[in-house]
Amino acid sequence: SPSLGRRRRREAAEEEVEETPQEKKLRLAKLYLEELRQHGESRLAPAPVPCGLCSSDTHAWGGGQGSPAHILTSLQVQPPDPASIRVLVGHKLPVTCLVISPDDRFIFSASKDGSLIKWEVESGKRLCMVPGGKKGTEERHMGHASHILCMAISSDGKYLATGDRNKLIMIWDAATCKRLHIFTGHRDAVSGLSFRKGTHQLYSASHDRSVKVWNVAENAYVETLFGHQDVITGLDSLSRECCVTSGGRDGSVRLWKIPEESQLVFSGHQGSIDCIQLINEEHMVSGADDGSIALWGLTKKKPLALARQAHGMQGTQDLQQPYWISAVAALRSSDLLATGSHSASVKLWKCSEGFRKLEPLWDIPLVGFVNSLKFSSAGDFLVAGLGQEHRLGRWWRIKEAKNSICIIPLKRRAAPPSPKASDSS
């Protein structure tokens, strides 16, 4: 009926994020260009270029900023072999966060013991270690004196940033592990850090419910943004001058537009939203302690896809609850995701049907709390930061777990023989 049609259109309009006329023009222009591209693809395919992921070693897309490179990575990855996982031990207490250098040669990890370690991926060696110190010694001591909760590395690999429970952000020279500067200003634990891609602009999130912007090259504070009603638990950014945050028990994910000093609010999880990562400039993934994983498009207020009880249930028959999602990772500009919990496995997922469906692929056995997950930029390995305890607290303790980082190789499937080759043979 006409009234039903009107109601559906009204509901669809309500779900759409409010846009300025300029933003709408930009979005419609992008859609138009995408349609033109798809229309032209069948008639004139672009020249192939070398690719680090596809089995054919060439790809129709360049992989530059904004290009849809590696969009079907999940089709090429084999089920990981548990025997090939390398375990690197060096932290005394649970590993809380890690990053991989842009060239995929080094891993930086940090822990509740306040220590920071730089590892070489190929050999698994510790190249340098900054031990944690006693509370109040930050000015004299080289490193952190409380739990490190988050870290980020600039896209040129020059700067490393770490944030701790004691409200401090430390900036390091990634090559030498020498401390360069300390940023102060947050009023509670620093829980999320991210460098804007291609710049030295740093975003930080805190349990004080604020997001701050810093210029690392000039050791300068820029501005503070407010909006969350609870502690911020995670933060991520890409090339645009904006970042996304997960807001814990306020039940919201937010997109912060830095120049406009405005924010878009997304809601869909039932529990505390504990982790978030951007997949590309238009989509993101988040995980919550209600056991759910959500896929989001930046123009919709509700999730495009939601996987409930993603890691199963724990507890006795009478008192069951879902395994908390403690870490999410996305291979940038692809359809491949990874999620972690304390369910004794890391799960790999495929985003299908235009990011409107989440399909489980494989389980990788890992014992302990998976507090951090990162894909290498080439997509040939996944790194997990493990601990006996959750990154943000001590609700449970898994004694048999090792406080370690695990490097999981992701092998590609062999390329199927081309029809031309079989015809000639």
Side-chain angles (χ1 to χ4, degrees):
S1 71
S3 62
L4 183 66
R6 280 198 299 273
R7 192 167 79 241
R8 281 184 179 157
R9 282 198 298 275
R10 191 169 66 249
E11 285 171 358
E14 283 172 1
E15 268 203 14
E16 291 284 342
V17 170
E18 291 175 13
E19 295 176 299
T20 64
Q22 284 82 4
E23 286 170 339
K24 188 171 183 180
K25 277 182 190 172
L26 186 64
R27 181 169 61 82
L28 292 174
K30 280 182 181 172
L31 284 171
Y32 178 61
L33 288 170
E34 180 69 13
E35 284 169 15
L36 285 178
R37 183 187 65 74
Q38 288 174 354
H39 180 66
E41 243 175 42
S42 54
R43 296 188 306 174
L44 183 66
V49 294
C51 167
L53 274 169
C54 299
S55 47
S56 63
D57 291 325
T58 59
H59 204 290
W61 298 98
Q65 187 176 314
S67 66
H70 320 316
I71 197 65
L72 294 175
T73 304
S74 60
L75 297 176
Q76 294 140 1
V77 176
Q78 289 182 329
D81 176 12
S84 65
I85 297 172
R86 291 190 290 152
V87 180
L88 308 182
V89 180
H91 296 286
K92 293 175 185 174
L93 294 180
V95 175
T96 53
C97 51
L98 59 89
V99 293
I100 305 170
S101 64
D103 58 11
D104 291 346
R105 290 177 56 207
F106 309 108
I107 297 166
F108 297 86
S109 62
S111 164
K112 282 189 177 184
D113 60 22
S115 64
L116 171 68
I117 298 179
K118 180 180 181 179
W119 310 83
E120 188 176 51
V121 171
E122 194 174 345
S123 65
K125 287 180 181 175
R126 272 191 279 179
L127 297 180
C128 61
M129 178 177 181
V130 181
K134 290 184 178 178
K135 194 171 181 181
T137 63
E138 289 92 348
E139 289 298 333
R140 288 175 281 120
H141 174 73
M142 177 69 174
H144 289 271
S146 61
H147 300 180
I148 302 175
L149 298 181
C150 52
M151 66 196 320
I153 192 164
S154 57
S155 51
D156 61 0
K158 184 177 180 181
Y159 296 114
L160 180 76
T162 51
D164 69 14
R165 201 173 270 286
N166 203 24
K167 315 169 196 173
L168 300 178
I169 299 168
M170 295 193 184
I171 307 299
W172 308 81
D173 181 324
T176 62
C177 293
K178 182 186 175 186
R179 192 176 73 195
L180 303 174
H181 192 68
I182 299 179
F183 284 127
T184 59
H186 278 297
R187 297 180 176 184
D188 206 336
V190 181
S191 52
L193 288 168
S194 180
F195 279 95
R196 182 183 168 200
K197 195 175 173 184
T199 75
H200 293 144
Q201 190 172 54
L202 178 70
Y203 305 123
S204 65
S206 167
H207 287 186
D208 66 11
R209 308 178 187 184
S210 74
V211 171
K212 288 185 186 288
V213 185
W214 314 84
N215 184 327
V216 169
E218 296 177 10
N219 292 339
Y221 158 79
V222 180
E223 62 181 316
T224 304
L225 305 165
F226 295 97
H228 275 293
Q229 305 301 306
D230 192 31
V231 300
I232 304 176
T233 53
L235 176 145
D236 196 23
S237 67
L238 278 174
S239 303
R240 292 181 184 172
E241 201 170 353
C242 61
C243 61
V244 295
T245 52
S246 51
R249 298 216 167 274
D250 79 359
S252 75
V253 163
R254 293 179 189 238
L255 168 69
W256 304 78
K257 297 181 177 182
I258 310 297
E260 294 93 332
E261 294 187 15
S262 66
Q263 56 196 282
L264 303 178
V265 182
F266 306 81
S267 56
H269 288 288
Q270 300 297 313
S272 174
I273 309 171
D274 289 347
C275 45
I276 190 162
Q277 192 173 4
L278 284 159
I279 301 168
N280 52 40
E281 297 283 10
E282 304 294 335
H283 299 91
M284 57 186 169
V285 59
S286 61
D289 71 359
D290 63 1
S292 65
I293 302 161
L295 266 182
W296 309 83
L298 297 188
T299 57
K300 293 278 186 185
K301 290 182 178 179
K302 300 290 179 190
L304 300 177
L306 190 71
R308 300 182 192 279
Q309 299 169 18
H311 279 249
M313 303 289 281
Q314 62 178 327
T316 59
Q317 196 74 36
D318 302 328
L319 190 65
Q320 280 203 321
Q321 60 169 307
Y323 280 104
W324 298 2
I325 307 302
S326 51
V328 292
L331 179 55
R332 302 287 198 197
S333 301
S334 84
D335 64 344
L336 190 63
L337 303 178
T339 59
S341 180
H342 60 287
S343 59
S345 71
V346 164
K347 287 181 181 282
L348 292 181
W349 302 77
K350 173 188 174 184
C351 308
S352 59
E353 295 177 19
F355 293 96
R356 292 184 179 274
K357 198 174 176 186
L358 270 169
E359 295 178 33
L361 292 174
W362 307 292
D363 286 16
I364 304 163
L366 284 180
V367 177
F369 279 89
V370 180
N371 288 324
S372 187
L373 283 169
K374 289 285 186 296
F375 283 99
S376 64
S377 52
D380 51 359
F381 63 91
L382 171 69
V383 184
L386 291 181
Q388 294 181 335
E389 300 165 359
H390 190 282
R391 170 176 87 103
L392 297 174
R394 301 187 68 181
W395 296 280
W396 294 281
R397 192 157 184 273
I398 302 171
K399 289 181 181 175
E400 59 272 25
K402 284 183 179 175
N403 298 320
S404 59
I405 67 167
C406 298
I407 303 174
I408 305 154
L410 299 175
K411 292 183 179 174
R412 299 193 298 270
R413 296 179 193 275
S418 66
K420 285 181 183 176
S422 56
D423 289 347
S424 61
S425 61

